[in-house]
């Protein structure tokens, strides 16, 4: 059997869709999984936009955070040297 006859008899057929395409078709049929995919993408977009917006608009000044006072009991008196008197809480 020569090479040409062999090639004519054994033509390699490519699949109509790839393995990834088959998996995507199966995934698209599951409506709950598709809805969860879109919800996850929505959360990722919100997280990225939130990170970008907080770099542009400063929500709070980190120098104003009084971490040592956060651990005091409720209704304890204000005693911080970091905050000027006019910005002190009432």
């Amino acid at each position: 059997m020569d090479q040409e006859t062999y090639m004519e008899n054994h033509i390699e057929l490519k699949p109509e869709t790839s393995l990834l395409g088959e998996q995507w078709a199966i995934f698209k049929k599951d409506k709950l999984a598709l809805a969860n995919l879109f919800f996850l993408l929505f959360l990722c977009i919100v997280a990225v936009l939130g990170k970008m917006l907080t770099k542009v608009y400063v929500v709070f000044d980190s120098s104003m955070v009084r971490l040592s006072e956060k651990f005091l009991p409720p209704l304890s008196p204000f005693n911080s040297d970091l905050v000027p008197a006019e910005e002190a809480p009432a």
Side-chain angles (χ1 to χ4, degrees):
M1 187 183 287
D2 62 349
Q3 184 70 18
E4 288 180 27
T5 309
Y6 180 78
M7 292 302 284
E8 290 175 3
N9 292 335
H10 296 82
I11 298 173
E12 292 186 32
L13 297 176
K14 294 184 180 179
E16 291 181 16
T17 59
S18 66
L19 182 61
L20 183 62
E22 290 177 13
Q23 293 296 324
W24 177 247
I26 293 170
F27 187 76
K28 284 194 311 186
K29 289 179 184 177
D30 189 0
K31 301 297 182 192
L32 184 62
L34 200 59
N36 285 327
L37 174 68
F38 288 130
F39 183 69
L40 184 63
L41 289 174
F42 172 74
L43 288 179
C44 290
I45 290 170
V46 167
V48 169
L49 285 176
K51 184 67 174 173
M52 289 174 21
L53 287 176
T54 54
K55 287 189 177 195
V56 175
Y57 300 108
V58 178
V59 179
F60 67 93
D61 187 13
S62 60
S63 65
M64 295 293 290
V65 176
R66 301 175 307 269
L67 188 59
S68 61
E69 293 181 2
K70 299 290 181 189
F71 299 114
L72 292 176
L75 303 174
S76 60
F78 176 75
N79 57 359
S80 178
D81 297 332
L82 298 174
V83 180
E86 60 270 1
E87 294 180 11

